[in-house]
Amino acid sequence: MTLIPSSKLASAPSLLSPLPCINKPISQKKIDSVLNHHIPGLTSSERIMASHIVGYPRMGPKRELKFALESFWDKKSSAEELEKVAADLRASIWKQMADAGIKYIPGNTFSYYDQVLDTIALLGAVPPRYNWSGGEIGFDTYFSMARGNASVPAMEMTKWFDTNYHFIVPELGPDVKFSYASHKAVNEYKEAKALGVDTVPVLVGPFTFLSLSKPAKGVEKTFNKLSLLDKILPIYKEVIADLKAAGASWIQFDEPILVMDLESHQLQAFTKAYSELESSFSGLNVLIETYFADVPEEAFKAVTSLSGVSAIGFDLVRGAKTLDLIKGGFPAGKYLFAGVVDGRNIWANDLAASLTTLQALEGIVGKDKLVVSTSSSLLHTAVDLVNEPKLDKEIKSWLAFAAQKVVEVDALAKALSGAKDEAFFSANAAAQASRKSSPRVTNEAVQKAAAALRGSDHRRATNVSARLDAQQKKLNLPILPTTTIGSFPQTLELRRVRREYKAKKISEDGYVKAIKEEISKVVKLQEELDIDVLVHGEPERNDMVEYFGEQLSGFAFTANGWVQSYGSRCVKPPIIYGDVSRPNPMTVFWSSTAQSMTKRPMKGMLTGPVTILNWSFVRNDQPRFETCYQIALAIKDEVEDLEKAGINVIQIDEAALREGLPLRKAEHAFYLDWAVHSFRITNCGVQDTTQIHTHMCYSNFNDIIHSIIDMDADVITIENSRSDEKLLSVFREGVKYGAGIGPGVYDIHSPRIPSTEEIADRVNKMLAVLDTNILWVNPDCGLKTRKYAEVKPALQNMVAAAKQIRTQLASAK
């Protein structure tokens, strides 16, 4: 019996393509009509198998939410218009999953900015500086916490576990007053129900929420965050009661912190929290969802022992060892939500292998207690292959985006129930075989060169102190040299030029002329501001990873494969499908052009191998470190060509080095060894007088500071201001750093313009723990997402602060 069209999934019409706003309930007759398109004669209650999606992308297939948010922030549209776009997206996603046959459809996974920020709003945990006066939290307070405003900075933002998604970090102390201040979860449940879709409301669990928070200023070393469980659980109970009253029969609590290394007192707090909530679970099915890694044995015991919990979800893609724990004993009567479809990558599922795993699990937990699920939220993958008509057909057959993964989950659930679509499984098996045998995947010369790297640690011959002396003689920089991180604002006109060139609407000569004019403007502006080490502004680049991937072999690209990074910011990760090499120089022309426009040092700007790896969808048919070494060799060729072209300062960004750190400490050393080695490979062949910079952002670096030192860069610029200068604490604790370092002096992810005094105060704090002769002055990150009206005064104040302190230091001698 054919349940799904037998054509290849990638070329089939999408079940999850955008739909117009739904303003009336979906009738049972309509649902059965859609379902019978696949299985004539079956009603929806018979066809809907045990299938579940942990979460779904919220930006929309064409980034509808991004554009609506930015229009609202720019005061070009109203709150009502933003809310309508959001409602249309939610309705479309819910209906699409219902039509696809998913039984447990997630609700409350939509967010205007971030799910942790939504939880901050839910609990009324607004820091005092935002002057919130109580009541339901509105857009003003919500977006002020996310982005800052004219008078106060934004809350800290950091990476969500080991993904490229960023969350807003809760700031909590003993005096915080919690209150039920956002009814978003219940409102969205009612909204879906009115459309005929019964969703599973998803909440960030109380244990994960507190574990990911940071102590408020003044209590950093003394405050136990988990002591606040007693204060937030009553609010969770109110939310649960509201959802139950609205008709919810299932609630999902996301507790991914359970995959981390936890101490016994933390697990005791987790158990206590859910024991306390148990009385409110009466009449409900409760799912605790974990993802991103194996669940350690003690955490597995803790979560499976909870009497009030009906179901537990595990990532069985990145957490394959969890299978052994399940086989060793899973509690009778509980549902197992088996995450066998990868929520973090874009490769088509090996359906035959997944079905074998599911059948083995069925023998352990029972047929009626097994639910097929994704390994994590699909937030971390692209939306829909249907939006990729120009993608190479062979490569496309190897892929599955979020929409296709929903269909994979449904197909596995039906196969498990005995209604296997043989044609669909056969097409999948053919695609798997095609990928394994395709000659475009393997380049023996590249594999041989990468394998040869393991015999050396690839360090520069001279120590960093001697190199800095040689570089200073050549560059002649002042103390506290100023620079920026790389990109300058990408104007609408600039984006238009790139878009039209790509569409062949303007000639190559016209494109080069336009980009040169933009570079000239950026260079002149920096000279006017009196910045010491310049950048060309990267006007030719769409994205710091995609730009390089487009010029490397082994990469494929999408037109609409966007993934949310934070807020409205989306990235379009390249797809690494084969061995990587560099056919031609990638940046030399533009960097040389920019250097010819100024006598000041011009940085060559490259993205490092670890960041290219961690910000791409990476092939899963070989170890990640092998792919990273291949990329490192390609970047090494580029570094050496830049040096030959007369570029004396080269920045190799490793913004995502910390992000790739495994979640479990036992795996840290291996990852850091090959990641740091990959960076050193890129620049081991340059002269002492060539200054190598790197840049890192939005992660907790303190626990890997010794690996950062081991990278052996001449200068590192690193995010600092948005995280309340947390980075400086590692130097206060006695870590010695002899290379150049530029902790960011202002947050570029906020439109707020810092004053000269504020920046000078930050620099003085840095000078209290860092030597004058190694400190650089720079923003937190690149300026691509900002407007010139914000950038010019901010940089003007930054340079003024540096000059002010130089004068003070000179007069103090």
Side-chain angles (χ1 to χ4, degrees):
M1 182 182 293
T2 300
L3 306 183
I4 298 177
S6 59
S7 56
K8 287 184 181 179
L9 182 60
S11 59
S14 172
L15 293 174
L16 298 181
S17 55
L19 296 175
C21 180
I22 305 165
N23 52 25
K24 60 183 179 180
I26 307 165
S27 70
Q28 190 63 44
K29 184 177 179 182
K30 171 63 176 173
I31 292 175
D32 290 340
S33 172
V34 172
L35 302 178
N36 287 339
H37 173 72
H38 301 289
I39 316 177
L42 291 188
T43 66
S44 59
S45 60
E46 292 170 311
R47 175 183 176 268
I48 294 181
M49 307 301 173
S51 53
H52 167 251
I53 306 297
V54 176
Y56 200 79
R58 55 182 72 127
M59 279 290 125
K62 296 292 179 67
R63 295 181 292 164
E64 292 87 344
L65 182 59
K66 169 189 172 65
F67 299 120
L69 282 167
E70 291 173 358
S71 176
F72 173 70
W73 292 337
D74 289 342
K75 298 182 169 50
K76 294 178 181 177
S77 59
S78 66
E80 291 74 21
E81 289 171 302
L82 172 59
E83 287 168 340
K84 184 178 186 306
V85 170
D88 287 356
L89 284 170
R90 289 192 297 268
S92 177
I93 291 166
W94 291 328
K95 181 180 185 298
Q96 291 154 359
M97 285 200 220
D99 286 353
I102 300 301
K103 182 174 183 179
Y104 301 108
I105 297 171
N108 197 41
T109 57
F110 172 86
S111 177
Y112 285 103
Y113 205 92
D114 163 52
Q115 68 269 16
V116 181
L117 180 60
D118 292 349
T119 311
I120 292 170
L122 171 77
L123 298 170
V126 181
R129 65 179 177 276
Y130 298 105
N131 295 319
W132 175 60
S133 56
E136 189 81 3
I137 289 176
F139 280 157
D140 283 351
T141 300
Y142 182 87
F143 288 129
S144 288
M145 289 190 287
R147 306 177 71 238
N149 57 42
S151 57
V152 292
M155 296 176 71
E156 180 182 349
M157 182 168 67
T158 197
K159 298 293 175 73
W160 177 247
F161 293 84
D162 60 347
T163 74
N164 187 33
Y165 178 80
H166 303 65
F167 73 96
I168 301 296
V169 181
E171 302 171 16
L172 305 177
D175 300 325
V176 64
K177 300 289 192 294
F178 295 102
S179 63
Y180 188 3
S182 170
H183 291 70
K184 174 181 177 294
V186 69
N187 289 342
E188 289 185 11
Y189 176 78
K190 292 176 179 177
E191 185 182 322
K193 192 174 182 182
L195 298 172
V197 181
D198 188 25
T199 58
V200 177
V202 178
L203 301 172
V204 175
F207 182 60
T208 290
F209 176 78
L210 290 181
S211 298
L212 294 178
S213 69
K214 69 174 186 179
K217 281 188 177 180
V219 296
E220 292 92 342
K221 294 184 178 180
T222 59
F223 183 59
N224 175 15
K225 299 176 293 184
L226 293 177
S227 67
L228 294 174
L229 275 170
D230 290 341
K231 291 187 177 182
I232 68 171
L233 291 179
I235 297 167
Y236 273 90
K237 288 180 180 179
E238 288 187 72
V239 179
I240 293 165
D242 277 359
L243 288 169
K244 194 190 304 186
S249 58
W250 280 83
I251 297 179
Q252 174 178 320
F253 290 91
D254 280 5
E255 291 284 11
I257 202 72
L258 288 173
V259 305
M260 304 293 283
D261 295 308
L262 300 175
E263 297 179 11
S264 59
H265 76 275
Q266 293 171 301
L267 288 173
Q268 288 167 9
F270 165 76
T271 301
K272 178 186 174 185
Y274 282 91
S275 297
E276 176 67 25
L277 290 173
E278 185 176 343
S279 61
S280 61
F281 292 160
S282 176
L284 285 171
N285 287 297
V286 172
L287 163 65
I288 292 185
E289 185 66 52
T290 69
Y291 38 79
F292 297 153
D294 286 299
V295 175
E297 186 172 1
E298 291 307 311
F300 181 86
K301 290 177 182 176
V303 70
T304 54
S305 298
L306 295 173
S307 58
V309 169
S310 320
I312 306 150
F314 295 111
D315 181 338
L316 300 181
V317 176
R318 290 181 176 237
K321 294 177 184 175
T322 304
L323 279 170
D324 294 331
L325 294 175
I326 294 169
K327 291 172 183 176
F330 190 80
K334 289 192 189 298
Y335 291 87
L336 171 62
F337 281 58
V340 294
V341 172
D342 194 347
R344 294 275 302 270
N345 215 328
I346 43 67
W347 303 106
N349 187 271
D350 184 338
L351 296 178
S354 292
L355 185 58
T356 298
T357 297
L358 290 165
Q359 287 167 339
L361 290 170
E362 190 177 61
I364 298 167
V365 303
K367 194 177 188 71
D368 62 335
K369 295 298 181 183
L370 183 62
V371 179
V372 183
S373 184
T374 53
S375 66
S376 67
S377 172
L378 298 175
L379 176 70
H380 309 290
T381 191
V383 178
D384 196 342
L385 270 175
V386 163
N387 297 320
E388 304 299 336
K390 295 182 180 179
L391 189 60
D392 179 274
K393 288 184 179 179
E394 182 183 31
I395 293 174
K396 193 173 182 179
S397 74
W398 304 340
L399 307 178
F401 289 0
Q404 289 69 44
K405 289 176 185 293
V406 168
V407 177
E408 288 179 337
V409 167
D410 185 58
L412 285 166
K414 288 198 286 291
L416 197 61
S417 71
K420 182 180 178 184
D421 181 349
E422 296 291 352
F424 185 67
F425 270 68
S426 294
N428 174 266
Q432 298 289 326
S434 162
R435 185 176 167 214
K436 288 177 181 176
S437 62
S438 176
R440 68 201 305 177
V441 171
T442 305
N443 182 325
E444 289 186 9
V446 171
Q447 292 204 346
K448 186 176 180 181
L453 294 172
R454 299 173 203 172
S456 169
D457 64 1
H458 297 89
R459 292 183 184 274
R460 293 171 76 178
T462 311
N463 67 45
V464 69
S465 177
R467 298 197 309 262
L468 288 174
D469 287 344
Q471 292 155 15
Q472 178 59 16
K473 288 175 184 175
K474 188 165 190 173
L475 299 173
N476 194 29
L477 298 172
I479 61 167
L480 306 181
T482 54
T483 191
T484 62
I485 302 306
S487 60
F488 265 64
Q490 299 249 329
T491 62
L492 291 174
E493 174 62 17
L494 186 55
R495 294 175 192 273
R496 181 193 65 77
V497 167
R498 282 205 311 265
R499 188 169 59 248
E500 290 187 356
Y501 176 60
K502 195 168 188 178
K504 295 183 170 57
K505 293 181 179 179
I506 60 174
S507 68
E508 183 171 356
D509 288 345
Y511 171 74
V512 170
K513 182 174 181 288
I515 297 298
K516 281 184 175 180
E517 288 174 356
E518 183 68 22
I519 291 173
S520 179
K521 289 177 187 176
V522 170
V523 170
K524 286 177 181 176
L525 172 61
Q526 292 172 92
E527 289 184 327
E528 289 168 5
L529 292 168
D530 203 18
I531 292 173
D532 300 305
V533 176
L534 311 189
V535 297
H536 76 288
E538 304 177 11
E540 78 284 9
R541 304 184 191 185
N542 46 6
D543 175 84
M544 66 181 287
V545 172
E546 184 177 11
Y547 176 79
F548 290 94
E550 285 175 340
Q551 301 181 76
L552 295 168
S553 64
F555 281 75
F557 302 90
T558 63
N560 291 292
W562 297 99
V563 179
Q564 184 183 15
S565 179
Y566 64 87
S568 68
R569 168 80 166 140
C570 298
V571 294
K572 191 149 57 75
I575 298 165
I576 305 177
Y577 67 84
D579 291 334
V580 177
S581 62
R582 185 198 73 146
N584 298 295
M586 302 179 286
T587 67
V588 175
F589 173 76
W590 296 118
S591 292
S592 300
T593 298
Q595 183 64 81
S596 72
M597 297 176 179
T598 182
K599 293 181 179 179
R600 301 185 184 210
M602 174 65 62
K603 282 198 281 190
M605 300 299 306
L606 305 175
T607 302
V610 184
T611 296
I612 291 176
L613 183 88
N614 285 336
W615 286 357
S616 296
F617 290 124
V618 183
R619 57 190 295 189
N620 58 358
D621 59 345
Q622 70 177 16
R624 287 173 70 88
F625 71 82
E626 291 186 11
T627 302
C628 199
Y629 284 159
Q630 293 177 1
I631 302 169
L633 285 173
I635 299 300
K636 180 177 186 289
D637 289 343
E638 188 72 12
V639 168
E640 292 171 4
D641 280 349
L642 282 168
E643 184 183 54
K644 290 173 187 174
I647 303 300
N648 297 315
V649 182
I650 302 171
Q651 182 169 307
I652 308 166
D653 283 348
E654 284 295 13
L657 186 137
R658 173 63 173 77
E659 176 183 309
L661 192 69
L663 298 177
R664 305 286 280 282
K665 291 177 182 176
E667 300 168 17
H668 287 188
F670 178 67
Y671 166 78
L672 289 169
D673 180 66
W674 63 254
V676 170
H677 187 191
S678 295
F679 176 82
R680 291 201 306 263
I681 288 166
T682 65
N683 60 86
C684 63
V686 300
Q687 299 175 33
D688 288 354
T689 50
T690 297
Q691 190 167 84
I692 298 296
H693 289 223
T694 191
H695 171 69
M696 297 182 179
C697 57
Y698 296 98
S699 286
N700 181 5
F701 302 106
N702 293 19
D703 56 348
I704 63 164
I705 190 66
H706 293 288
S707 294
I708 292 173
I709 294 170
D710 198 37
M711 291 170 73
D712 200 27
D714 297 310
V715 178
I716 180 169
T717 52
I718 196 162
E719 182 274 325
N720 170 68
S721 62
R722 183 153 183 169
S723 59
D724 290 329
E725 298 159 346
K726 191 188 301 178
L727 172 71
L728 299 185
S729 65
V730 76
F731 301 111
R732 294 189 190 103
E733 291 164 7
V735 171
K736 297 299 180 185
Y737 192 76
I741 184 167
V745 297
Y746 78 90
D747 175 24
I748 64 85
H749 289 93
S750 169
R752 181 175 170 272
I753 298 165
S755 67
T756 299
E757 293 71 26
E758 180 182 332
I759 294 174
D761 181 60
R762 286 192 187 279
V763 175
N764 279 319
K765 287 179 181 176
M766 296 171 193
L767 287 172
V769 293
L770 294 166
D771 291 340
T772 307
N773 62 341
I774 66 169
L775 185 63
W776 286 62
V777 178
N778 47 264
D780 264 352
C781 205
L783 304 170
K784 176 181 177 179
T785 60
R786 300 268 54 89
K787 296 178 172 62
Y788 273 105
E790 301 156 355
V791 166
K792 288 179 182 178
L795 290 180
Q796 194 169 34
N797 293 346
M798 183 188 81
V799 173
K803 289 182 175 180
Q804 176 182 309
I805 296 175
R806 286 175 197 160
T807 301
Q808 292 170 359
L809 291 170
S811 62
K813 287 183 178 179

